Amino acid sequence: MRERLVARMRGHGTTIFAEMSALADATGAINLGQGFPDTDGPEVVKQAAIEAIAAGRNQYPPGAGIPELRRAVAAHQERFYGLGFDPDTEVLVTAGATEGVAAALLALCEPGDEVVMFEPYYDAYAAVVALAGARRRVVPLRPPAFAFDPATLAAAIGERARVLVLNSPHNPTGKVFGDDELAEIARLCVRHDLVAVTDEVYEHLVFEGRHRPLATFPGMRDRTVTVSSAGKTFSLTGWKVGWVCASPPLLEAVRTVKQFLTYVNSAAYQAAIAVGLGLDDAYFTGVAADLCARRDRLCRGLAAAGLEVYVPQGTYFVTTDVGPLGVDDGAAFCRSLPERAGLVAVPMQVFHDDPDAGRTLVRWACCKRPQVLDEAAQRLARLAETVPG
Ligand code: PMP
Ligand code: GLN
């Protein structure tokens, strides 16, 4: 066994979502940990999957994904962002965004190369960079604004830097990178000849303004591997249909790796997501507005319970500081929370390299039914009342 590699994977906290969901299942606690909605996405998309199965679309699809989904992804990029991609040479279907990011990083990084990413980071990035034998260089995002210092970003781009990973809207903070920040990131990618791998799975879950892909910035179209997926946009996280858009040489490299990871995936679901991507604009704005109301509801409840709340601009997640409850270790707090309050949340220190950063930050998922969010907030308020001070 590759003991050291496996230990490093564990060290990346890769199992935190599974650990917390297992804890919720075992204790019957309300699960605001792992990010998944408690209601399914559009009926028309679910029906399309049922019909695709009934129609016999159950064997291996083409390696790049079924043509109708590749065309639907290209049309989506054009419709929402004015980005033109050739469905035959510039779009690849993957097993969720997870595989898209993994195949991209494995394709782009030589052992010893450096990958620049913002901290806190989504756990899979650190794990895949380690799998590739590459090294990560992190640039801090800290509350309350989760802004980065441009000089710190520039300093993190060393001789061996090859790739920059950008996740916006950002998990776990809920930050949506602003146009000025994106322009600065783009400028540095061009100047240092970096390829950007962008994880845009929350692209339609933005509460104010709009999502802007990094690929739309000057010089970025052909140096960006844009990754997204259907899970969040259509509240169907278990289907694992994702995609990658990139210039032909980059896409070819990603496809070459992807074919030996999963080869292909989700034939019938691919057909259904092609239908989903073609829904009218009202669907996409509606899903954001609906989630925004849930965000507000959860934020109010968390603030009323005495937590410091950093209101997110997008994503499924609300970041809080539980320090005001007298807590000095968010991980211990989260592990005791099911028993003490019938709740599950995610400690954010596992998404940091700096052991002191994020010690008292805790992430809560707002993609749940309103009554579930209210009940969670009430449980937390009762717990806070019992905490001395
Ligand atoms: N990236 C981010 C930032 C995520 O939060 C998630 C989790 N849903 C993923 C990627 C994984 O996406 P998928 O389920 O499409 O693999
Ligand atoms: N992206 C989801 C989250 O951040 C979880 C996905 C997973 O379990 N890997 O909670």
Side-chain angles (χ1 to χ4, degrees):
M1 196 196 284
R2 291 179 69 186
E3 301 279 1
R4 279 176 48 209
L5 182 76
V6 172
R8 265 160 79 193
M9 298 285 107
R10 287 198 192 102
H12 290 307
T14 341
T15 56
I16 193 74
F17 304 119
E19 180 191 339
M20 289 299 158
S21 280
L23 204 54
D25 288 344
T27 58
I30 294 178
N31 189 355
L32 302 190
Q34 191 176 34
F36 61 89
D38 60 357
T39 44
D40 288 345
E43 206 52 43
V44 51
V45 178
K46 292 204 293 181
Q47 273 307 322
I50 291 166
E51 280 159 27
I53 290 170
R57 304 190 72 172
N58 301 304
Q59 309 308 327
Y60 296 130
I66 62 171
E68 71 211 75
L69 178 55
R70 282 186 278 123
R71 283 196 298 268
V73 168
H76 170 276
Q77 297 305 95
E78 182 70 54
R79 164 155 70 132
F80 288 100
Y81 311 121
L83 282 168
F85 288 101
D86 178 342
D88 292 328
T89 57
E90 298 187 311
V91 180
L92 170 71
V93 177
T94 55
T98 308
E99 190 197 29
V101 170
L105 292 174
L106 290 168
L108 295 169
C109 300
E110 295 282 4
D113 282 352
E114 290 183 355
V115 177
V116 179
M117 63 181 77
F118 295 95
E119 177 206 50
Y121 45 77
Y122 184 57
D123 62 0
Y125 310 153
V128 173
V129 167
L131 274 176
R135 275 195 291 265
R136 68 180 177 280
R137 294 284 302 268
V138 301
V139 177
L141 303 173
R142 297 290 179 259
F146 300 109
F148 67 88
D149 171 24
T152 308
L153 174 58
I157 303 173
E159 276 291 294
R160 297 296 308 263
R162 294 287 173 274
V163 175
L164 178 141
V165 176
L166 176 70
N167 170 217
S168 181
H170 183 258
N171 178 7
T173 64
K175 171 191 175 71
V176 176
F177 284 70
D179 285 358
D180 290 352
E181 292 178 306
L182 294 170
E184 179 65 10
I185 293 166
R187 199 180 62 79
L188 288 168
C189 286
V190 171
R191 181 195 291 169
H192 296 280
D193 197 20
L194 302 184
V195 173
V197 174
T198 64
D199 177 343
E200 307 185 15
V201 299
Y202 299 101
E203 61 188 311
H204 289 291
L205 306 184
V206 173
F207 308 132
E208 290 112 36
R210 288 191 60 185
H211 170 68
R212 240 188 111 182
L214 193 62
T216 61
F217 283 77
M220 294 310 291
R221 163 67 173 73
D222 290 340
R223 63 169 67 249
T224 302
V225 176
T226 300
V227 182
S228 192
S229 76
K232 318 301 193 280
T233 298
F234 299 108
S235 299
L236 295 164
T237 60
W239 284 18
K240 299 294 286 190
V241 176
W243 50 84
V244 173
C245 298
S247 64
L250 287 174
L251 194 88
E252 166 60 19
V254 179
R255 196 181 62 77
T256 303
V257 172
K258 181 250 148 56
Q259 68 186 333
F260 296 114
L261 292 177
T262 55
Y263 175 45
V264 291
N265 61 285
S266 315
Y269 296 119
Q270 289 192 24
I273 295 303
V275 171
L277 287 174
L279 291 176
D280 56 21
D281 289 359
Y283 172 74
F284 295 90
T285 47
V287 80
D290 178 62
L291 188 65
C292 186
R294 292 167 203 249
R295 170 202 72 169
D296 290 343
R297 199 171 192 110
L298 181 62
C299 286
R300 276 197 304 275
L302 294 170
L307 285 70
E308 171 94 32
V309 175
Y310 305 110
V311 179
Q313 299 153 300
T315 80
Y316 278 168
F317 307 112
V318 177
T319 293
T320 61
D321 193 326
V322 293
L325 300 184
V327 175
D328 63 7
D329 179 355
F333 172 79
C334 287
R335 293 209 163 83
S336 69
L337 205 52
E339 197 174 316
R340 291 168 62 212
L343 285 176
V344 162
V346 168
M348 282 173 53
Q349 58 194 249
V350 301
F351 308 126
H352 294 79
D353 289 350
D354 177 347
D356 291 325
R359 264 192 89 73
T360 57
L361 297 184
V362 171
R363 190 195 83 174
W364 310 81
C366 65
C367 49
K368 306 291 177 181
R369 285 165 295 147
Q371 63 269 35
V372 173
L373 299 175
D374 288 349
E375 173 61 26
Q378 278 162 23
R379 290 185 188 188
L380 200 58
R382 284 199 294 273
L383 173 74
E385 279 163 18
T386 66
V387 175

